[in-house]
Amino acid sequence: MSEENKDHLTHHHNPFYYSHDHDDGDHHEISHSSSFPFFINDNNPMVAPPQNLLQGLDPASPYMTFTDCLQGSMDYNTLSRAFDMSCSSIEDNLVKKAGVGRDSAAGTLSENLSTTTPNSSVSCSSNEEESVKSKKDKQPQGCEDGDGDEEKSKKGNKPKKKEKRQREPRFAFLTKSEIDHLEDGYRWRKYGQKAVKNSPYPRSYYRCTSQKCNVKKRVERCFQDPTVVITTYEGQHNHQYPSTLRGNAAGMLSPSLLASASAAQPSFPQALFSQLLPTNNNYQADPNYMLYGNLNLMAPQQQLQLPHYGLLQDLTPPFGDNKRQP
DNA sequence: CGCCTTTGACCAGCGC
DNA sequence: GCGCTGGTCAAAGGCG
């Protein structure tokens, strides 16, 4: 870990949000299209979701606890379904009420992220079917079991792709940082970079270097707020942290975080996410503390206690004091 | 030498 | 069918 990275991690706020990526045609505007923004920093603890979104939630949806999501106690299919349901509701609500398409709604979200103005439309992840439909299918189904062999056949004899693979749920983090590639404890290999439409900032594609781990992440900058880095994780690590972290990535993470993250779930984002959550119930009672799309994902009482030092101290927003800011 | 990034090419999905 | 776009591959080169 370079001093630069350290500086980023210790001196920048770390807003983030959860996203179940929808991957529609406007996927390139990830900061717009991704749903469930959970945007936090010291000045703006959390972007309040528009009330019209909250109203669009289906109270009859089968809810899970947020802890379940983070700690992987439920399978991704269930997770996807839950998010999809709420997502569909939101999107439908948006389109119907605001009379806007996905693009325009998404564009407003980006403004939201920058201005923290709550009363704007937001684009949302489509349901699983639409998400899968809209994506290409380079990997065969059951990609979690893939060992890289399927990738070798891409250029040569490609398998028929009538069935579309189930895309992994994604966890997107918004991070205010000048560093694009944020250390998260895992080792990543960059395998691609693409220019993003309507954005001067490219999108980078990373893959976990561990064997048999198909976790990927994309890193890009919000073009409307270049200080915000959008990191989208896809998949779930099936291994512990690498024993030899490149640089001193492990060193910059608090021991408690690493320990708990590794022990609870070998997937850093979820574990980190879990620890970042506040332990009070303020945001549960206050609709403005909801995640976009599904407030009931949260179960604050089940969240881990926040450590009081190290990285998380910097990461953790002052939930109690800055409940809402204009 | 191993690991990583860069980068042009390729492929699939989607909209028109 | 065509063009656009996102996502990925893989060769080449850099770096420690």
Side-chain angles (χ1 to χ4, degrees):
Chain A
M1 168 69 59
S2 65
E3 287 300 321
E4 197 175 30
N5 281 350
K6 276 186 187 174
D7 179 75
H8 142 69
L9 284 162
T10 54
H11 292 91
H12 289 80
H13 311 305
N14 291 270
F16 59 95
Y17 65 94
Y18 179 87
S19 167
H20 179 67
D21 193 89
H22 71 281
D23 282 325
D24 63 8
D26 299 303
H27 171 73
H28 54 277
E29 294 178 311
I30 182 169
S31 61
H32 307 165
S33 60
S34 295
S35 51
F36 310 119
F38 187 38
F39 190 83
I40 301 171
N41 64 30
D42 286 349
N43 296 324
N44 300 289
M46 195 174 294
V47 174
Q51 286 299 316
N52 60 343
L53 293 188
L54 307 183
Q55 295 166 1
L57 297 179
D58 180 7
S61 298
Y63 297 125
M64 74 192 83
T65 70
F66 192 53
T67 303
D68 288 337
C69 303
L70 298 176
Q71 299 184 349
S73 60
M74 61 195 329
D75 62 84
Y76 271 157
N77 288 334
T78 307
L79 183 64
S80 298
R81 282 196 302 271
F83 275 107
D84 290 339
M85 293 184 73
S86 59
C87 235
S88 301
S89 301
I90 293 172
E91 185 164 53
D92 291 343
N93 196 39
L94 274 175
V95 173
K96 290 174 182 175
K97 287 191 175 183
V100 295
R102 187 172 292 163
D103 283 349
S104 54
T108 324
L109 169 58
S110 182
E111 295 172 6
N112 264 359
L113 294 178
S114 298
T115 63
T116 70
T117 301
N119 297 322
S120 299
S121 300
V122 59
S123 180
C124 180
S125 168
S126 304
N127 58 33
E128 185 75 12
E129 186 174 353
E130 180 178 356
S131 174
V132 172
K133 174 181 63 181
S134 64
K135 298 305 286 185
K136 65 172 185 172
D137 186 20
K138 289 215 165 185
Q139 299 182 19
Q141 290 193 350
C143 61
E144 284 296 344
D145 296 330
D147 54 4
D149 290 342
E150 75 276 9
E151 293 183 356
K152 296 175 184 175
S153 64
K154 283 182 179 176
K155 293 246 169 173
N157 46 346
K158 297 190 177 218
K160 295 288 184 179
K161 293 168 183 171
K162 297 215 169 182
E163 297 186 10
K164 317 207 172 182
R165 84 175 168 99
Q166 296 272 328
R167 180 163 281 281
E168 298 286 339
R170 295 180 175 179
F171 296 85
F173 290 78
L174 292 180
T175 308
K176 204 173 185 68
S177 170
E178 296 180 359
I179 311 298
D180 287 338
H181 189 195
L182 309 173
E183 289 289 354
D184 57 8
Y186 286 98
R187 298 179 63 185
W188 302 92
R189 172 175 293 121
K190 188 175 184 178
Y191 65 89
Q193 176 172 307
K194 289 286 290 185
V196 180
K197 181 187 171 186
N198 296 330
S199 173
Y201 308 101
R203 174 184 301 146
S204 298
Y205 299 90
Y206 296 88
R207 178 178 292 132
C208 182
T209 60
S210 295
Q211 290 185 344
K212 299 185 178 182
C213 181
N214 289 326
V215 176
K216 299 170 188 173
K217 74 174 180 181
R218 301 181 310 204
V219 177
E220 66 183 289
R221 236 166 236 294
C222 176
F223 79 96
Q224 289 197 353
D225 186 357
T227 65
V228 173
V229 175
I230 304 161
T231 305
T232 305
Y233 293 86
E234 178 180 348
Q236 193 170 26
H237 292 284
N238 56 10
H239 57 93
Q240 299 286 319
Y241 285 94
S243 54
T244 56
L245 291 171
R246 187 165 57 100
N248 52 358
M252 68 99 187
L253 297 171
S254 81
S256 64
L257 172 60
L258 282 175
S260 61
S262 298
Q265 171 75 10
S267 181
F268 179 78
Q270 289 95 324
L272 172 61
F273 206 4
S274 179
Q275 291 216 11
L276 286 173
L277 290 171
T279 54
N280 62 52
N281 292 333
N282 287 347
Y283 63 94
Q284 188 177 40
D286 185 344
N288 285 335
Y289 276 91
M290 289 172 60
L291 287 175
Y292 274 60
N294 200 337
L295 174 61
N296 297 276
L297 289 168
M298 287 184 160
Q301 67 278 10
Q302 298 182 15
Q303 302 308 318
L304 302 174
Q305 290 296 320
L306 292 169
H308 302 291
Y309 56 88
L311 172 65
L312 288 178
Q313 187 175 35
D314 300 310
L315 288 171
T316 306
F319 281 93
D321 296 334
N322 298 324
K323 185 175 179 180
R324 190 186 313 173
Q325 295 209 4

